[in-house]
Amino acid sequence: MALSRRKFIKIGSTTAGAVALTSGLTTDWWSLQAHQLPDPRTDGDRIVPTFCELCFWKCGVLAHVREGRVTKIVGNPKHPLSNGRLCPRGAGGVGALYDPDRLKRPMIRVSKRGEDKFEEVSWETALDETAARMEKLRLKYGAEALALFTHGYGGSWFTQLVKAWGTPNVVAPSYAQCRGPREAAFEITYGQGVGSPEAIDIRNARCITLIGSHLGENMHNTQVQEFADAIGSGAQLVVVDPRYSVAASKAKYWLPIKPGTDIALLLAWMNVIVTEKRYDADYLDKYATGLAELELHVAGKTPEWAYPITGLDPGLIRETARFIAGFRPSSLVHPGRHVTWYGDDTQRMRCIAILAALLGSWGRRGGYLLPSSMGLRKYPPFSSGRGMADAADKPTAEHYPMAGEVLASGVCEATVSAAPYGVKGWMVYGTNLIQALPNPKQTEEAIANLDLLVAIDVLPAEIVGWADIVLPESTYLERHDDLWAASYKEPFVAIRQPVVEPMFDSKPGWWIAKELANRLGLAEVFPWKNGEENIRWRLEESGYDVEAALRDGVVKGEVVPVCEEEGAELYFGTESEKIELFSQQLADAGFDPLPEFTPPDEPPLGMFRLLSGRAPMHTFGRTTNNRDLGALMGENEVWINAMAARSLAGFEEAPLKTGDYVRLENQDGVMSGPVKAKVTERIRGDAVYLVHGFGHTAKGLTFAHNRGASDSALTTRFKVDPVMGGTGMNVNFVRIARAEA
Ligand code: MGD
Ligand code: SF4
């Protein structure tokens, strides 16, 4: 049944009654009755606690089941990431479970790769074929010629499998295409990354500065809850964004910065704070090195210097620097998350890390807290006898000395170039590489070089159409996964357990990995009978109350001091064991030891810089086929500045207005599908903006197919961060052409 927006929002609230979200698909599997919870808010539904997979924040949820069907999903009040509330996507998980387009049975390709033609086969055949072809690959090229691309919690089984089998090449686009530069910058500065979920103290911050983070549109539940609480109790907000985001509308200061110039602004802020001695001198004296070098470095980088670069009034730059410093140490400069923008991203994130140190906010209330995690029984060491390939062989196209992980884009390049060695097999778990990696043509070129591509997915996404073998996984509501011991400000262990029986002929990831392991002579990697037995064993061995954990969906740890004010001792894992404002490590590797500004390329005449971001009801392309979430936002729009729209070439006769369909053509001649225009004062005239994740071309996604424009398809260029290999993607330009709907 179609879901009205009002009804859907009602379901998301914790007091809503049970409402059937979809109909027509029934299952009568009641074996999980054991974990039934009485819930005074409902009318007798069976309730199963588990954790969400609609994005990678992994909030605790309570799934309501009636007559074998999930009727609604609400936040688990006991879980520290949800506190009883979910974002719209979390509540919309029912739409993922009952998506009629789900992959239903294993398939093997029957025509040319990429033609998306398959025949359905039994699991026996699909697994035999996968294992046989993996072994063939190993004999011909060595085990390291297989790479696992993985995103999502269930990928841990496949990581265990392929590592035991002998390849170190396990990659996720969430590093080099997302938060890698941030992790590298904080490791360089503090000896410790920010991690996920970020242990930042938004709730207690008195001033929050967002550098392009559009909190509220990008929706990490706990952060948004804390953000709303902080603003509600009077926290001040400074937003730096070329677009008047929802957060900007709540801000005391909105700085509509010229895209790609944030380093100049951040240096100018530091200039004001340093020259006016507004930093926390005692904190720096105790914990940091390199203040003298920083003083010298920012000496000439005044607000007047930054003005022509950023387009921001020097008076405003000075005023905001003083404002932000005025609230230290509870002045939180948010570290962002998706920070792969211009290829100088590690240095921009270094600016944020250094600024946080000047404000004395690292390790302090209202700033960056010290996360901790609960112990979990480790798995016995693998004994395949084949050993792991030398980590130094990791195929990154170049050597990025400060990359903390193997790069997904590096493996893609190595598949094309066969350097440092050929990658000939991809196992792709839960990541739609055609949309996740920049330059889709290069991804297709890499795929053409493969001997084997196995896709493990729940939906027929674009990457599935390129696979040789397709293994349909059950959704997160139908399976056990491994325990999750989060590193967070409140340590906890979370449990994922099935809410209903797997639909169709889909299988849980643990089962698929275990069956493959059996066929590859690695049965000892998964010695347990099933996912539940594994969870019970690990909980027991770790000393936790198994029944309570399964009943509550979460085990909470002892509260430990998370900041200096609570008595925590600050520690830094850097060479000097201090915060390194000036980085000798960067200097030794041939990089700027203090961040320098380098100007980004300008958009050619008649073109706009393409920017992208998020909407609260979608996570990349993974939710855009979800009918329930599609009811809230079924296609994206391209934001165009109103004045720029009035002078668009080709629109002289009938000026562009909101709701008209246009196409975007990028600098390399790639043309998007039709996308609605949003003509607005809320964006600068030199940029346009799209919500990421739309414009699917996979025909099997019958709802999302051809809805909106794909920013990924238009991202044919990217700029590599020389420090850690991240792919800056805000370097593409588009012109606007009229289109029919
Ligand atoms: P981006 O998406 O890159 O990162 O969320 P963010 O950390 O916020 O941010 C886009 C914003 O950056 C836009 O407002 C854009 O106008 C602005 N911007 C672009 N270029 C510049 C520039 O040069 N300077 C400045 N100052 N601003 C610029 C990503 C985060 O979101 C991540 S990584 C994930 S995994 C989650 N995904 C997700 C989701 O898919 N859906 C929803 N609803 N929420 C999500 N939250 C998370
Ligand atoms: Fe699910 Fe939303 Fe939490 Fe992400 S933030 S895990 S989508 S409820």
Side-chain angles (χ1 to χ4, degrees):
M1 96 186 172
L3 203 64
S4 74
R5 184 185 163 83
R6 236 180 107 244
K7 195 177 240 181
F8 182 71
I9 289 167
K10 195 170 162 235
I11 291 161
S13 87
T14 52
T15 50
V19 181
L21 289 190
T22 44
S23 59
L25 301 163
T26 51
T27 152
D28 56 359
W29 193 62
W30 289 90
S31 70
L32 282 156
Q33 291 266 25
H35 308 311
Q36 186 171 332
L37 287 177
D39 185 337
R41 297 169 307 177
T42 66
D43 31 25
D45 290 357
R46 184 170 60 92
I47 297 169
V48 184
T50 186
F51 63 84
C52 183
E53 183 75 11
L54 273 280
C55 88
F56 307 105
W57 198 251
K58 304 193 275 288
C59 298
V61 303
L62 299 179
H64 290 231
V65 187
R66 174 172 290 187
E67 292 170 14
R69 290 182 54 78
V70 178
T71 53
K72 68 172 176 178
I73 300 175
V74 297
N76 182 350
K78 295 188 175 158
H79 195 287
L81 292 182
S82 45
N83 303 306
R85 284 176 282 166
L86 298 180
C87 83
R89 297 164 296 161
V94 187
L97 173 64
Y98 297 123
D99 190 324
D101 296 330
R102 275 183 59 181
L103 292 171
K104 299 181 177 69
R105 272 163 282 281
M107 300 190 294
I108 292 186
R109 181 170 61 80
V110 288
S111 71
K112 235 173 81 199
R113 196 183 270 145
E115 282 182 355
D116 208 347
K117 292 200 179 127
F118 297 93
E119 75 173 348
E120 292 183 349
V121 294
S122 66
W123 273 103
E124 195 72 9
T125 306
L127 293 164
D128 286 351
E129 179 80 5
T130 306
R133 291 180 67 176
M134 282 174 73
E135 280 304 87
K136 197 167 155 197
L137 198 85
R138 188 177 64 79
L139 292 174
K140 197 161 167 195
Y141 310 105
E144 68 279 4
L146 180 83
L148 170 67
F149 291 80
T150 162
H151 204 187
Y153 198 64
S156 63
W157 308 118
F158 298 91
T159 303
Q160 290 182 44
L161 174 73
V162 303
K163 284 192 169 174
W165 188 67
T167 177
N169 298 316
V170 177
V171 291
S174 51
Y175 186 75
Q177 283 66 53
C178 188
R179 59 193 167 80
R182 179 190 80 178
E183 295 307 297
F186 276 76
E187 269 154 24
I188 290 163
T189 313
Y190 293 92
Q192 171 176 342
V194 178
S196 173
E198 293 85 2
I200 46 179
D201 194 9
I202 298 177
R203 189 185 308 283
N204 292 309
R206 293 170 58 226
C207 177
I208 301 161
T209 302
L210 301 177
I211 311 287
S213 286
H214 49 328
L215 268 191
E217 287 164 281
N218 97 54
M219 178 64 76
H220 279 163
N221 187 12
T222 335
Q223 289 202 27
V224 177
Q225 288 181 21
E226 289 197 19
F227 188 49
D229 289 351
I231 299 297
S233 30
Q236 299 296 324
L237 182 60
V238 177
V239 172
V240 181
D241 198 312
R243 193 177 61 95
Y244 189 68
S245 59
V246 172
S249 70
K250 311 276 173 240
K252 173 151 175 94
Y253 294 101
W254 170 46
L255 283 69
I257 194 166
K258 178 174 171 180
T261 66
D262 299 71
I263 291 183
L265 170 70
L266 289 157
L267 289 169
W269 273 351
M270 289 193 241
N271 167 284
V272 176
I273 292 171
V274 164
T275 53
E276 297 181 3
K277 302 227 178 296
R278 290 176 186 271
Y279 50 77
D280 188 332
D282 293 341
Y283 178 92
L284 293 179
D285 200 38
K286 188 164 171 198
Y287 296 125
T289 64
L291 181 59
E293 290 92 335
L294 179 70
E295 272 170 348
L296 264 181
H297 184 71
V298 298
K301 298 181 175 70
T302 59
E304 287 69 22
W305 165 81
Y307 167 48
I309 301 173
T310 59
L312 299 171
D313 178 79
L316 181 64
I317 298 179
R318 194 162 273 113
E319 191 176 322
T320 43
R322 291 172 182 160
F323 187 76
I324 291 166
F327 292 95
R328 69 170 171 78
S330 300
S331 184
L332 175 69
V333 184
H334 193 288
R337 187 165 169 112
H338 180 232
V339 295
T340 42
W341 293 352
Y342 298 98
D344 56 2
D345 306 303
T346 303
Q347 294 292 10
R348 187 181 69 257
M349 297 315 296
R350 273 271 293 154
C351 287
I352 292 179
I354 296 169
L355 185 56
L358 293 180
L359 299 171
S361 67
W362 202 92
R364 297 270 187 76
R365 186 166 291 140
Y368 289 73
L369 302 179
L370 308 177
S372 58
S373 56
M374 291 168 68
L376 265 189
R377 172 71 150 83
K378 296 245 176 312
Y379 286 113
F382 305 126
S383 55
S384 71
R386 295 184 191 128
M388 293 223 337
D390 178 4
D393 282 349
K394 289 174 185 175
T396 42
E398 286 173 53
H399 184 59
Y400 298 107
M402 275 147 230
E405 294 181 17
V406 190
L407 312 175
S409 38
V411 169
C412 184
E413 278 167 32
T415 311
V416 175
S417 66
Y421 56 78
V423 172
K424 301 298 280 181
W426 287 5
M427 184 177 276
V428 183
Y429 175 91
T431 169
N432 186 9
L433 296 178
I434 305 295
Q435 279 204 342
L437 294 176
N439 194 2
K441 276 272 155 279
Q442 186 186 43
T443 310
E444 288 171 20
E445 215 184 308
I447 291 172
N449 280 353
L450 294 175
D451 286 10
L452 175 64
L453 201 172
V454 182
I456 304 148
D457 213 306
V458 293
L459 278 175
E462 283 76 9
I463 188 67
V464 170
W466 289 92
D468 302 320
I469 304 172
V470 180
L471 306 178
E473 201 194 11
S474 313
T475 65
Y476 73 104
L477 292 169
E478 303 162 298
R479 63 179 204 239
H480 284 102
D481 272 328
D482 209 350
L483 294 173
W484 179 41
S487 173
Y488 193 53
K489 46 194 179 185
E490 307 169 60
F492 64 91
V493 171
I495 283 106
R496 175 168 285 155
Q497 55 190 338
V499 176
V500 288
E501 187 181 12
M503 289 173 60
F504 315 114
D505 199 9
S506 66
K507 297 282 184 192
W510 63 259
W511 184 90
I512 303 172
K514 187 172 161 65
E515 286 293 322
L516 282 175
N518 292 345
R519 285 165 171 79
L520 294 166
L522 296 169
E524 71 273 31
V525 178
F526 305 111
W528 28 264
K529 225 172 45 240
N530 56 39
E532 178 169 359
E533 187 181 288
N534 174 57
I535 284 187
R536 285 180 174 276
W537 168 78
R538 279 193 97 190
L539 283 167
E540 231 163 64
E541 290 281 315
S542 313
Y544 304 129
D545 178 340
V546 178
E547 295 312 320
L550 295 174
R551 184 195 62 221
D552 294 345
V554 66
V555 184
K556 288 196 211 173
E558 232 175 87
V559 178
V560 287
V562 287
C563 57
E564 241 191 359
E565 292 88 336
E566 291 180 6
E569 266 185 42
L570 306 198
Y571 53 89
F572 306 99
T574 52
E575 183 72 28
S576 63
E577 297 184 3
K578 297 224 164 186
I579 304 169
E580 300 194 348
L581 305 178
F582 173 94
S583 170
Q584 193 56 49
Q585 186 192 357
L586 280 173
D588 292 346
F591 301 116
D592 294 327
L594 283 161
E596 294 285 1
F597 168 70
T598 43
D601 292 340
E602 295 290 330
L605 200 67
M607 297 189 101
F608 301 84
R609 184 179 297 280
L610 176 64
L611 300 179
S612 69
R614 317 275 173 222
M617 61 297 279
H618 286 295
T619 302
F620 319 129
R622 70 166 39 210
T623 51
T624 40
N625 202 60
N626 180 320
R627 271 73 170 169
D628 297 341
L629 297 175
L632 303 182
M633 182 184 185
E635 60 188 302
N636 58 358
E637 306 173 303
V638 57
W639 294 41
I640 305 168
N641 172 273
M643 199 194 288
R646 282 197 286 276
S647 48
L648 276 181
F651 291 77
E652 295 80 1
E653 307 253 301
L656 184 66
K657 48 182 199 329
T658 294
D660 289 351
Y661 276 87
V662 295
R663 287 179 189 268
L664 309 178
E665 183 185 12
N666 84 351
Q667 71 282 331
D668 296 318
V670 172
M671 185 75 94
S672 78
V675 56
K676 260 190 202 164
K678 175 183 170 110
V679 177
T680 172
E681 306 287 350
R682 288 178 54 189
I683 187 163
R684 285 173 56 101
D686 50 4
V688 295
Y689 175 82
L690 280 177
V691 168
H692 170 72
F694 286 88
H696 282 284
T697 53
K699 292 204 180 69
L701 301 174
T702 61
F703 183 80
H705 183 243
N706 278 349
R707 280 179 182 250
S710 163
D711 58 309
S712 311
L714 295 165
T715 306
T716 49
R717 295 196 187 165
F718 57 93
K719 206 161 174 189
V720 176
D721 186 324
V723 181
M724 53 59 67
T727 54
M729 293 183 268
N730 290 2
V731 297
N732 291 272
F733 305 109
V734 292
R735 75 177 88 255
I736 316 280
R738 201 178 279 284
E740 295 313 313

